[in-house]
Amino acid sequence: MYKTPDVLSFGVVFLCKFNVYKGVFYVIIIVYVKITYNIGFLRERTEYGFLPILEAGMEQYVIKGGTKLQGEVEISGAKNAALAILAAAIMADDVVVIENVPDVRDTRVVIEAIKDIGAYVEQIDKHTFKINGKTICSTVVDYEYIKKIRASYYLLGSLLGKRRKAKVALPGGCNIGSRPIDQHIKGFRALGASVAIEHGMICADAEKLSGSHIYMDVVSVGATINIMLAACLSQGSTIIENAAKEPHVVDVANFLNCMGANIKGAGTDVIRIKGVEKLHGTTYSIIPDQIEAGTFMVAAAATAGNILIRKVIPKHLEAITAKLIELGCKVEEYDEDVRVIGSEKLGHTNIKTFPYPGFPTDMQPQISVLLSKCDGTSIVTESIFENRFRYVDELSRMGGDIKVEGNTAIISGVERLTGAQITAPDLRAGAALVIAGLIAEGVTTIDDIKYIERGYEDFDIKLRGLGANIQIAKCEKDIRKVELAIVE
Ligand code: UD1
């Protein structure tokens, strides 16, 4: 494509020999076309390719703390549901329209990966995609960036179901602890696939997939969804016992059912799947993001603010709501909105993370930051991932008083946090440190915001809409300028 203008250049030179005006006209056209191609090229590469390189330690949030967040914020589609639904969409040889896809880095990576294996993808608007898996020409997913996200493994389940064959780069994701995939593999094998790990890829293939009775040794969101994906195009019935019950497990099951799958019991411990021959097209809207909503709820509480968090499913937020009320916040629930009213004086509590409907591990860093400014001592126990306290050192540099022993954090409330230069260690810890910056005295700069952008759409824009003093500095030179502007 990029060569086209150069071929035209020769034509122009040739034409100029005969007619100067005509030649000049063509030169203008060519310059225009070249500029357009190059802008398009750069934009595309920036969105999906160059940005992670540009970002390496460059983009930062600069936050001046002390503002009570006020107003309304609208929650985007659930990132973790979107990742699985985008992977599942390719299972139909038909048009699938997915609405409410959050515009975050991880969803962009999955979209690029499914394009890379030949799926037709058309973006209708910021949050709506039309996908058709009929044109898929490869079952090998080795797109450079896919290995950096955890949900790459959903393409294993979807391709195995659809084509009985899949080879996917081993997933990475946030460094929050060892993240085995033995339960996924166990499930695929139970369905009759042979699975091997070779050269950093998971390779699965099967002559045929047959329904099976699978008991999960641990409650795993990823394994439950992945087995559901492969099983819905297997022969016969599959039962998944000790299944994960997270809202996005239910959302993926609902989506598959809209495509013609036969899945019952999603949202309970036992999921029953009757295999069908094929899936068809549908239009589906993804549920709101429980964790994004929870993050804004905690931000309201921490800044003693008053925020109406719009377009949520209050039921999904109950564990967070209960804890905020226990601490002394006021939480009002409406049909699709939740209002959180914080207070200058909040009490302490103890929290242990559990699979849904327990307190979500993805909210543990954010609530711990809140507890660090509450009265008294709180104890937070992380029971899902062993490496989820990576924000503690950074918070200590801001004046937080947290001691970590094994999987437990003992948090003593402090009078104040103070701004510092800190680094986002992973997605949720990064969001938690933004909340710390919002309540700290003075200016906080946060490096490595690429982690936060993996899962929060327009985080800084939404926070600014609530009155927060937060800006992005694009490079080192920018930081001082933004700091000065923000302090004024
Ligand atoms: C998903 C979410 C993540 C969230 C987590 C727990 C996505 C893309 N990510 O991650 O944001 O923090 O659920 O709610 O949806 N385990 C095994 N063997 C396996 C799989 C998991 O031992 O094969 C263990 C894990 O180490 C962990 C626990 O099971 O201790 C839960 O992990 P899992 O629910 O699978 O998390 P993910 O699906 O990776």
Side-chain angles (χ1 to χ4, degrees):
M1 233 161 120
Y2 300 98
K3 296 214 164 76
T4 319
D6 300 319
V7 175
L8 283 173
S9 307
F10 287 112
V12 165
V13 173
F14 179 74
L15 277 169
C16 285
K17 280 193 167 180
F18 302 100
N19 184 333
V20 175
Y21 291 116
K22 210 170 180 180
V24 169
F25 174 72
Y26 277 112
V27 166
I28 292 168
I29 299 268
I30 286 165
V31 168
Y32 172 77
V33 169
K34 276 196 171 194
I35 288 172
T36 315
Y37 272 133
N38 285 333
I39 288 173
F41 171 70
L42 282 178
R43 193 187 58 233
E44 202 175 305
R45 295 305 299 164
T46 301
E47 268 183 344
Y48 301 119
F50 291 147
L51 207 54
I53 299 158
L54 278 177
E55 275 171 349
M58 280 183 158
E59 280 204 336
Q60 305 191 333
Y61 283 144
V62 183
I63 305 167
K64 180 166 181 274
T67 311
K68 294 182 176 186
L69 300 188
Q70 308 268 352
E72 296 183 11
V73 64
E74 203 169 282
I75 297 307
S76 302
K79 178 206 59 130
N80 286 346
L83 298 174
I85 286 174
L86 288 166
I90 62 162
M91 293 171 75
D93 285 340
D94 211 344
V95 174
V96 174
V97 177
I98 308 172
E99 299 166 347
N100 208 27
V101 178
D103 183 22
V104 294
R105 189 167 300 276
D106 278 11
T107 54
R108 286 183 218 140
V109 171
V110 171
I111 288 163
E112 275 308 291
I114 63 176
K115 273 191 201 166
D116 206 53
I117 55 170
Y120 171 82
V121 180
E122 184 188 338
Q123 183 160 11
I124 309 290
D125 60 38
K126 190 177 181 193
H127 299 120
T128 310
F129 288 83
K130 195 187 260 189
I131 295 170
N132 193 335
K134 194 174 179 178
T135 48
I136 282 179
C137 51
S138 167
T139 52
V140 182
V141 185
D142 195 17
Y143 171 64
E144 197 185 339
Y145 294 97
I146 196 76
K147 44 178 110 52
K148 297 197 176 139
I149 72 164
R150 192 77 195 142
S152 57
Y153 53 45
Y154 290 136
L155 285 161
L156 209 58
S158 64
L159 285 169
L160 186 63
K162 184 184 173 92
R163 292 281 170 88
R164 304 292 190 250
K165 207 173 164 55
K167 199 169 169 184
V168 177
L170 255 176
C174 281
N175 180 14
I176 53 177
S178 92
R179 300 182 79 173
I181 50 161
D182 56 304
Q183 297 305 303
H184 303 241
I185 294 174
K186 171 180 157 171
F188 294 146
R189 286 190 178 141
L191 295 173
S194 58
V195 187
I197 297 177
E198 290 164 4
H199 310 293
M201 309 277 283
I202 314 170
C203 315
D205 65 282
E207 284 278 305
K208 66 171 195 158
L209 292 176
S210 311
S212 182
H213 196 138
I214 303 162
Y215 187 90
M216 313 283 290
D217 301 325
V218 291
V219 179
S220 161
V221 173
T224 302
I225 293 178
N226 232 344
I227 297 167
M228 233 162 48
L229 293 176
C232 70
L233 286 176
S234 304
Q235 287 168 15
S237 297
T238 297
I239 298 174
I240 308 174
E241 303 235 31
N242 200 23
K245 295 178 281 204
E246 266 67 4
H248 46 290
V249 174
V250 180
D251 206 36
V252 178
N254 288 342
F255 170 67
L256 290 167
N257 284 342
C258 286
M259 290 206 297
N262 185 342
I263 303 172
K264 293 205 169 81
T268 73
D269 296 315
V270 185
I271 299 180
R272 291 166 201 278
I273 305 157
K274 277 201 180 120
V276 295
E277 280 238 325
K278 59 178 190 159
L279 299 173
H280 54 70
T282 188
T283 296
Y284 192 81
S285 184
I286 291 170
I287 54 164
D289 197 300
Q290 172 206 19
I291 305 301
E292 188 198 7
T295 303
F296 279 103
M297 289 170 79
V298 170
T303 60
N306 179 342
I307 308 182
L308 184 69
I309 296 139
R310 298 197 42 241
K311 294 206 176 159
V312 297
I313 300 175
K315 174 95 189 123
H316 294 169
L317 303 170
E318 275 173 354
I320 303 155
T321 301
K323 281 296 163 192
L324 292 182
I325 291 172
E326 212 178 302
L327 290 172
C329 297
K330 206 169 156 204
V331 183
E332 295 166 2
E333 285 182 5
Y334 304 97
D335 286 350
E336 292 187 349
D337 307 327
V338 168
R339 181 181 292 283
V340 177
I341 305 165
S343 155
E344 293 291 351
K345 263 204 144 356
L346 295 174
H348 57 274
T349 187
N350 297 335
I351 293 175
K352 188 167 183 181
T353 62
F354 276 113
Y356 189 83
F359 192 89
T361 172
D362 283 358
M363 281 302 300
Q364 182 266 106
Q366 301 90 314
I367 200 107
S368 296
V369 166
L370 167 63
L371 294 173
S372 74
K373 65 148 265 187
C374 290
D375 282 347
T377 301
S378 304
I379 294 175
V380 173
T381 308
E382 172 57 57
S383 69
I384 313 281
F385 294 110
E386 72 271 21
N387 201 10
R388 269 223 123 141
F389 291 120
R390 293 172 72 229
Y391 57 91
V392 167
D393 287 346
E394 300 298 70
L395 197 60
S396 300
R397 298 181 55 238
M398 299 176 77
D401 183 355
I402 306 186
K403 284 180 195 60
V404 177
E405 284 170 17
N407 67 343
T408 302
I410 302 147
I411 305 172
S412 305
V414 291
E415 278 287 310
R416 63 188 191 123
L417 295 175
T418 50
Q421 191 161 3
I422 53 177
T423 298
D426 61 63
L427 165 58
R428 305 303 172 186
L433 291 172
V434 169
I435 297 175
L438 292 171
I439 54 179
E441 281 176 23
V443 174
T444 297
T445 55
I446 305 183
D447 290 345
D448 276 350
I449 64 170
K450 61 176 184 274
Y451 289 117
I452 303 170
E453 290 172 342
R454 289 180 65 162
Y456 289 89
E457 179 177 320
D458 297 336
F459 199 34
D460 56 318
I461 297 173
K462 289 186 184 183
L463 285 168
R464 274 199 298 279
L466 296 167
N469 214 338
I470 177 170
Q471 296 291 341
I472 291 186
K474 297 264 179 221
C475 58
E476 286 296 330
K477 240 170 50 196
D478 227 17
I479 294 171
R480 190 71 198 127
K481 226 164 57 192
V482 174
E483 270 179 7
L484 287 173
I486 219 166
V487 172
E488 273 167 13

